Amino acid sequence: MKFPATADPGTGQEFMEKTKYRYIGRSDQQKGLPQPPLEIPADPEKPVIDLPRPAFLDIPPLSLRIAIGQRQSIRMYAHEPMTLDELSFLLWCTQGVKQIHGPQVTFRTVPSAGARHAFETSLLINDVEGLTPGLYRYLALSHRLQQIDTDPTLPHRITGACFDQQFILRSGVVFLWTAVPYRMTWRYGERGYRDLHLDAGHVCQNLYLAAEAVGCGVCAIAAFDDDAMNELLGIDGENQFLIYLATAGKK
């Protein structure tokens, strides 16, 4: 099927063209440069909270076929807090580390191009038992949370930066996945930016399916003001940027 030609290719077309393999050249890995760290180090000044260990969580069994059949975007949530066990389970299902091979690679619960796993997970906690509302970081290598900011205006500012999608405020938690592109481009060059977006889909689908097992609903969000959200998260938008987010809460 042919579509009307445009005089000048759009940004999206240019992105797809310039990330073709013929433009990539030698990667930094091929040049012998050291790889970036597997995780941004925790802030030594911020409190850290141990999460319930995934192996000991009592999660109701649910067949994959049923989870896939039930999966849908949910924007209305019950006035019921999520439990810390449920949050721990959802974090493990979306970025949980199964194996660590020294400083080189992690194998996780989601696929990632070349096992690069270029994402960091932030959380806006609205209503989770035992947690003060606010902004947190998931420390995937140790399966812990770090409290970042408990400013009570944050939920409203994040909602505003997502074009006032009010269901954000009604959710139990908002997952905010940020990309550290050099973890991916170190191996794949500019092609790695394509892989980041593919990986985001893997992560969010795991959230949708895992949430079904704990009676939660999820809604992915791609509509947000990039610059405003990066500023709220305290990241520069270049070496680290928000790539995707999703709400979750009790059905």
Side-chain angles (χ1 to χ4, degrees):
M1 180 181 293
K2 291 186 176 180
F3 296 95
T6 56
D8 297 307
T11 303
Q13 289 175 289
E14 185 176 5
F15 168 77
M16 294 301 292
E17 177 64 26
K18 292 300 176 66
T19 53
K20 289 180 179 177
Y21 276 107
R22 66 170 176 262
Y23 293 111
I24 290 175
R26 294 178 69 219
S27 68
D28 282 356
Q29 181 183 23
Q30 292 170 321
K31 294 173 185 175
L33 297 177
Q35 76 168 41
L38 300 175
E39 181 176 79
I40 294 174
D43 186 336
E45 304 299 321
K46 302 285 187 181
V48 172
I49 301 155
D50 289 329
L51 287 166
R53 305 307 297 176
F56 300 105
L57 296 174
D58 185 17
I59 303 299
L62 180 69
S63 80
L64 181 60
R65 180 170 182 167
I66 290 174
I68 291 173
Q70 291 180 172
R71 188 222 61 81
Q72 61 179 316
S73 292
I74 302 289
R75 294 175 176 82
M76 297 296 293
Y77 305 106
H79 296 291
E80 177 185 349
M82 292 173 59
T83 68
L84 200 58
D85 279 8
E86 290 166 348
L87 180 62
S88 175
F89 175 67
L90 296 179
L91 284 167
W92 182 79
C93 288
T94 51
Q95 279 292 279
V97 176
K98 297 189 291 185
Q99 287 181 289
I100 304 174
H101 286 259
Q104 299 299 316
V105 68
T106 57
F107 294 113
R108 307 198 185 193
T109 55
V110 289
S112 175
R116 298 309 306 143
H117 294 291
F119 295 156
E120 300 283 338
T121 303
S122 294
L123 300 166
L124 175 65
I125 300 294
N126 290 324
D127 195 5
V128 176
E129 289 179 356
L131 293 179
T132 302
L135 187 66
Y136 291 73
R137 258 196 75 201
Y138 176 48
L139 305 175
L141 297 185
S142 58
H143 195 66
R144 297 182 298 166
L145 287 181
Q146 182 160 61
Q147 189 182 77
I148 302 299
D149 193 344
T150 57
D151 182 345
T153 69
L154 265 174
H156 292 278
R157 289 192 285 152
I158 287 174
T159 300
C162 293
F163 308 113
D164 294 317
Q165 298 183 71
Q166 291 297 304
F167 63 91
I168 290 172
L169 297 172
R170 298 191 294 267
S171 66
V173 60
V174 183
F175 287 72
L176 304 117
W177 295 293
T178 62
V180 181
Y182 189 57
R183 275 192 217 149
M184 190 67 75
T185 60
W186 172 79
R187 175 167 293 172
Y188 297 117
E190 294 302 295
R191 180 80 176 193
Y193 280 92
R194 286 205 203 187
D195 297 325
L196 293 175
H197 291 88
L198 297 174
D199 282 6
H202 304 323
V203 171
C204 195
Q205 180 72 337
N206 262 32
L207 178 63
Y208 268 99
L209 297 179
E212 291 297 322
V214 291
C216 289
V218 170
C219 186
I221 299 173
F224 55 87
D225 182 321
D226 298 77
D227 295 333
M229 284 298 299
N230 290 333
E231 184 176 356
L232 284 168
L233 295 173
I235 53 182
D236 64 9
E238 183 176 341
N239 297 297
Q240 187 179 1
F241 54 84
L242 182 67
I243 193 166
Y244 209 9
L245 63 155
T247 56
K250 299 298 290 184
K251 290 184 182 178

